[in-house]
């Protein structure tokens, strides 16, 4: 059975990775925080200090938005 590492990022790091893939994106920290607050994007449980995001789920969400 193959093990795949889940890519977990803080909100600033997630935004940086999205911008690295698409420099013209309008995704920013404020928008990502709003999506977490309104339940559009679910944060990863386990950290009370930082809001953590599953980068794979975020990319899946963004690609579904464009289809």
């Amino acid at each position: 059975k193959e093990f795949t590492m889940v890519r977990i990022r803080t909100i600033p790091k997630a935004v940086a990775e999205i911008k690295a893939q698409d420099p013209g994106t309008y995704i920013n920290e404020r928008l990502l925080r709003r999506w977490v607050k309104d339940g559009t994007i679910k944060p990863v449980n386990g950290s009370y200090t930082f809001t953590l995001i599953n980068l794979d789920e975020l990319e899946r969400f963004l690609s579904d938005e464009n289809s």
Side-chain angles (χ1 to χ4, degrees):
K1 192 171 182 179
E2 188 177 318
F3 176 75
T4 305
M5 182 76 83
V6 178
R7 298 182 303 153
I8 304 297
R9 302 289 185 270
T10 61
I11 287 178
K13 296 278 188 188
V15 169
E17 293 225 15
I18 295 299
K19 287 188 181 217
Q21 294 175 34
D22 178 12
T25 187
Y26 287 101
I27 305 297
N28 57 34
E29 288 183 39
R30 185 180 211 166
L31 178 60
L32 196 48
R33 288 182 197 285
R34 186 175 337 137
W35 283 345
V36 168
K37 188 175 182 178
D38 70 18
T40 303
I41 299 289
K42 301 233 183 297
V44 174
N45 293 331
S47 176
Y48 297 105
T49 308
F50 301 106
T51 301
L52 299 175
I53 303 294
N54 181 328
L55 192 58
D56 298 316
E57 286 184 15
L58 176 60
E59 288 175 348
R60 207 170 304 122
F61 168 75
L62 293 173
S63 67
D64 288 347
E65 283 284 302
N66 295 323
S67 13

